């Protein structure tokens, strides 16, 4: 499948500095920042700096260095926020059925309260 990246999406604007963010951690290839509408006491978004729409796009086209850095940042944020003991949930929504609102790959890190079952029964 061909992936079409919208360079005007909100997270692209965060990466250029057009829109401010509450940064948690920044590395060469990755940015972690607080979600503007937190769904839990800890709600951090981790995004690659490259133009990737979703996880499968990233896994197919990103360099090994980008993929390694992205995954390391997710783990590092969990440690920085002190989540190892209480636990956390990682979510990455993609496309229509995943109900992805912002078309730039992001992983949600959610924690700080019991998060319930993963999905409601339809
Ligand atoms: P998703 O539905 O997985 O695409 O999630 C997009 C997330 O981005 C939502 O949780 C929003 O609250 C969050 N969001 C949207 N705009 C901003 C922003 N300017 N800064 C931080 N988080 C944002």
């Amino acid at each position: 499948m061909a992936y079409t990246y919208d360079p005007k999406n909100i997270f692209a604007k965060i990466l250029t500095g057009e829109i401010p963010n509450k940064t948690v951690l920044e590395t060469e290839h990755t940015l972690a920042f607080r979600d503007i509408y937190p769904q839990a006491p800890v709600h951090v978004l981790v995004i690659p700096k490259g133009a990737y729409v979703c996880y499968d796009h990233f896994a197919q086209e990103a360099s090994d260095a980008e993929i390694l850095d992205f995954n390391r940042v997710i783990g590092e944020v969990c440690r920085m926020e002190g989540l190892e003991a209480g636990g956390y949930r990682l979510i990455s929504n993609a496309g229509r059925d995943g109900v992805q609102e912002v078309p730039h790959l992001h992983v949600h890190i959610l924690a700080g309260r019991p998060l319930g079952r993963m999905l409601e029964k339809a």
Side-chain angles (χ1 to χ4, degrees), residues 3-113:
Y3 298 93
T4 307
Y5 181 80
D6 171 11
K8 293 190 176 140
N9 76 76
I10 294 169
F11 294 169
K13 290 181 178 171
I14 283 179
L15 286 166
T16 60
E18 261 177 89
I19 293 178
N21 75 92
K22 289 189 178 164
T23 299
V24 175
L25 181 61
E26 181 169 10
T27 62
E28 182 183 357
H29 297 297
T30 309
L31 179 68
F33 56 97
R34 302 211 182 270
D35 197 291
I36 203 164
Y37 299 119
Q39 305 290 315
V42 176
H43 190 169
V44 176
L45 300 171
V46 183
I47 66 172
K49 290 185 176 176
Y52 303 106
V53 177
C54 58
Y55 204 93
D56 54 281
H57 184 201
F58 182 66
Q60 185 171 310
E61 294 188 9
S63 67
D64 290 358
E66 290 175 293
I67 291 170
L68 182 67
D69 188 67
F70 185 69
N71 282 286
R72 289 248 197 253
V73 167
I74 292 170
E76 181 64 19
V77 169
C78 291
R79 285 187 296 279
M80 286 169 64
E81 297 288 310
L83 308 182
E84 306 100 309
Y88 53 87
R89 180 170 294 159
L90 306 179
I91 296 175
S92 190
N93 297 317
R96 182 199 60 208
D97 288 353
V99 195
Q100 180 180 11
E101 287 173 18
V102 181
H104 181 114
L105 168 62
H106 49 284
V107 167
H108 299 255
I109 301 175
L110 294 153
R113 66 168 170 82

